[in-house]
Amino acid sequence: MKIGNVIRLAALVVLVLLLVRPELFSGFFGLFTKNNQPAIYNQGNLLDITLNHLAIVLAATVASTVIAVGLAIIVTRPFGAEFLPLSRSLANIGQTFPPVAVLALAVPMLGFGTAPTLVALFLYGLLPIFENTLTGLTNLPPAVTDAAKGVGMTGWQRLLKVELPLALPVILAGIRLSVVISLATATIGSTVAARTLGEVIIAGLLSSNTAFVLQGGLIVGVLAVLIYDALSALERWLMARTGQLGRTAA
């Protein structure tokens, strides 16, 4: 087993233990407390908070993926090419306004809680997925697309059976970037009462308890690394399956 895989496995084991049996780490986190502060976050269950954090990120990413991929498909068809500038402007909205500003605008309309956070993460995740999908669909091997036309495939058949499968690794790279950004950005959702790991960090900042800040930060960081690596491995597998890995290496 490669050293990198051993490190990832160890990180996963430590993460699971921290979420399921956080008291096992009280000695370590106790090093970062003072004046008899609690070493382990005690205002909620770390596992429940983490699962809720991941659920928010997943929901926002799915929504961003559906809209961004749909827009990219439309603008790469002959009938939708003229809408490329408009689609790119729409995808750029999330990057134009910082998530905090989106939250501030969304709260008066949607109220406090998860909804404003979902909106902010959805908008923030559009651009990388849209641009990667656009790149994947416009840089397909001409020989493959010509062969698909030669055997009589319709436009939608080529899209579903040839173009999207070949572009999938590039699309997945955009999704990977969006997920990692959302994992970190979701923490600010706790400022508007969304149940994310941000509440652990905020509780630590308000009480000057470094142990709480460290717990929230470590969980978010380890999750981001593990999910990034998992999606990277899936991307490489898809490229190998479609024969793109060897072509890229060559």
Side-chain angles (χ1 to χ4, degrees):
M1 184 179 290
K2 294 181 179 180
I3 186 66
N5 292 333
V6 173
I7 294 174
R8 293 183 188 96
L9 180 60
L12 177 60
V13 171
V14 171
L15 177 62
V16 171
L17 287 175
L18 177 59
L19 296 177
V20 177
R21 297 286 302 278
E23 66 276 5
L24 296 176
F25 300 86
S26 57
F28 170 74
F29 287 111
L31 298 173
F32 303 94
T33 62
K34 55 186 178 181
N35 301 326
N36 295 318
Q37 292 174 321
I40 302 299
Y41 184 68
N42 58 358
Q43 299 172 34
N45 185 283
L46 282 176
L47 178 59
D48 290 342
I49 295 171
T50 301
L51 291 176
N52 201 71
H53 187 107
L54 289 173
I56 292 173
V57 171
L58 176 62
T61 302
V62 169
S64 295
T65 300
V66 170
I67 298 301
V69 172
L71 283 175
I73 289 173
I74 290 173
V75 300
T76 53
R77 305 304 98 182
F79 64 85
E82 62 183 291
F83 297 107
L84 176 58
L86 175 62
S87 298
R88 185 162 271 148
S89 297
L90 291 174
N92 269 296
I93 288 177
Q95 305 293 327
T96 303
F97 298 99
V100 174
V102 176
L103 288 176
L105 293 172
V107 166
M109 294 181 289
L110 302 175
F112 288 90
T114 300
T117 306
L118 283 171
V119 171
L121 296 183
F122 162 73
L123 292 175
Y124 216 57
L126 282 175
L127 185 62
I129 302 175
F130 174 78
E131 290 294 346
N132 275 51
T133 304
L134 196 62
T135 299
L137 291 175
T138 54
N139 288 278
L140 297 170
V144 175
T145 54
D146 290 343
K149 292 178 183 177
V151 298
M153 284 187 175
T154 64
W156 287 110
Q157 286 176 327
R158 292 196 302 274
L159 173 67
L160 297 175
K161 296 182 179 181
V162 178
E163 296 178 23
L164 282 177
L166 287 175
L168 191 55
V170 182
I171 297 172
L172 187 60
I175 295 173
R176 168 165 47 90
L177 179 59
S178 178
V179 168
V180 172
I181 292 173
S182 294
L183 274 169
T185 307
T187 56
I188 67 170
S190 292
T191 60
V192 293
R195 198 154 189 251
T196 73
L197 288 162
E199 74 176 62
V200 182
I201 298 172
I202 292 171
L205 293 174
L206 292 177
S207 62
S208 298
N209 189 335
T210 306
F212 287 1
V213 178
L214 189 59
Q215 283 162 53
L218 278 175
I219 294 172
V220 171
V222 173
L223 280 173
V225 171
L226 291 177
I227 292 175
Y228 181 94
D229 284 349
L231 291 176
S232 294
L234 178 58
E235 183 185 336
R236 289 192 297 271
W237 178 79
L238 287 171
M239 292 182 71
R241 188 183 180 193
T242 55
Q244 299 178 69
L245 190 61
R247 185 167 59 249
T248 301

